[in-house]
Amino acid sequence: MILSIESSCDDSSIAITQIKSLKVVFHKKISQEIDHSKYGGVVPELAARLHAKALPQILQQTQDFFPYLKAIAVTTEPGLSVSLIEGVTMAKALSIALKLPILSVNHLKGHIYSLFIEKKAMFPLGVLLVSGGHTQVLQVSSHDNISILASTLDDSFGESFDKVAKMLGLTYPGGPIIEEYAKQGDDKAYDFTIPLQSSNKIAFSYSGLKNQVRLCIKEQNNTLSEKMKSDICASFQRVATAHLMQKLKKIFKIYKFSNFAVVGGASANLYLREQLNKLCPDLLVAPLQYCSDNAVMIGRASIEDFKDKNFCNLEDITINPKIKIFT
Ligand code: KG4
Ligand code: ZN
């Protein structure tokens, strides 16, 4: 079995996965959403302090599995440095205490493997990754051969939901609450412009759309009824998604994918899934509980590295908070 740890942002999570059967035998996640909600976004130092408390609490529940462990997997990149360090420190301590090798896992690769929980992986694959930190289209040829075909020039898809929610006085994270409000709203009530429409550039941008929403709220003198909030959420969600669809259509003309998937925290958005399904009827998605950050996807990704004996030297294990460009 592999014990995997995820602490790249604001979720403390540990999982244990059987190597041969891919079966998940333990999973626990303590989310810090409520703690960060009053600040409208993740406060790194607070996140680190909460990881330091939550990770040992979860680890204590895994002790019966220790004799069966063959490796410790941990997210080392990308993410908040102070948060990543908490998981990596625990992985190092376990590695020394239990005399086990460490597997270093890229968080974005983890999201890709959320498609293959308790399942055999299937490549090649085109992937739309929509999370709080990233908006990318990836060509995944194999476990070790991933290239970025498009990414965002500024804010990410999920981040734009978080920022719009903050402007509307809604809770953090913004994605789920905006999706809820949007269900009651008229998505044509506000005619926001789809970003980069007239540009041939294969890239995404969300800062302009965020600004359109900001100006729209300002025009109402910052006093918004619940109906107006719902209409703004519905209109914003429609345009934010339409932008993804327009650029994906361009990408699909250039690259022919035999399979296409959507992953990342924002892939839980059902409106987005519905629109993507129109474009790719055979769209692959992860189970809803594994869309947002979790250690199960990290454990699943690490199994491929375990098979290749792709272990890390304890002295060499480092965190890389910045966006990792796949090669
Ligand atoms: O993958 P994730 O859990 O963390 C990162 O790796 O960033 O993604 C979190 C992001 C947040 O920005 C959150 O607002 C967004 O995913 N999100 C959503 C939805 N659920 C979560 N965005 C839109 N609609 C949702 N239903
Ligand atoms: Zn993530």
Side-chain angles (χ1 to χ4, degrees), residues 243-318:
H243 175 39
L244 285 179
M245 297 309 128
Q246 279 193 351
K247 293 299 174 186
L248 277 177
K249 277 184 196 158
K250 284 203 161 85
I251 291 171
F252 289 167
K253 278 195 186 141
I254 306 170
Y255 301 93
K256 303 288 170 215
F257 300 110
S258 44
N259 287 296
F260 197 78
V262 64
V263 300
S267 72
N269 185 297
L270 298 183
Y271 175 80
L272 169 65
R273 286 185 176 203
E274 196 183 296
Q275 298 306 309
L276 277 168
N277 256 315
K278 289 183 193 164
L279 214 57
C280 337
D282 298 323
L283 181 76
L284 302 174
V285 291
L288 281 177
Q289 78 262 37
Y290 298 128
C291 289
S292 59
D293 294 348
N294 65 84
V296 174
M297 65 186 196
I298 302 303
R300 177 63 189 88
S302 78
I303 289 177
E304 308 298 322
D305 287 313
F306 181 86
K307 286 180 188 157
D308 294 344
K309 296 195 169 49
N310 202 359
F311 301 119
C312 261
N313 270 334
L314 199 60
E315 306 77 49
D316 298 341
I317 184 165
T318 48

Side-chain angles (χ1 to χ4, degrees), residues 30 34 50 52 68 76 110-111 115 138 160 166 219 235 245 253 269 302 304 309:
I30 297 179
I34 295 168
L50 294 171
Y68 307 105
T76 54
H111 275 300
L115 297 165
L138 305 166
S160 71
K166 192 175 177 184
E219 265 173 32
S235 305
M245 297 309 128
K253 278 195 186 141
N269 185 297
S302 78
E304 308 298 322
K309 296 195 169 49

Side-chain angles (χ1 to χ4, degrees), residues 191-203:
D191 195 15
F192 300 129
T193 310
I194 300 174
L196 304 179
Q197 271 194 100
S198 47
S199 158
N200 271 332
K201 227 181 190 153
I202 302 217

Side-chain angles (χ1 to χ4, degrees), residues 1 8 19 40 42 44 67 72 78-79 87 119-121 130 135 140 145 193 211-212 214-215 234 251 283:
M1 295 178 190
S8 65
I19 297 166
V42 178
I72 307 294
K119 270 197 231 170
K120 206 170 166 277
V130 273
T135 302
V140 187
N145 189 348
T193 310
N211 209 32
Q212 289 183 62
R214 189 181 62 77
L215 293 174
I251 291 171
L283 181 76

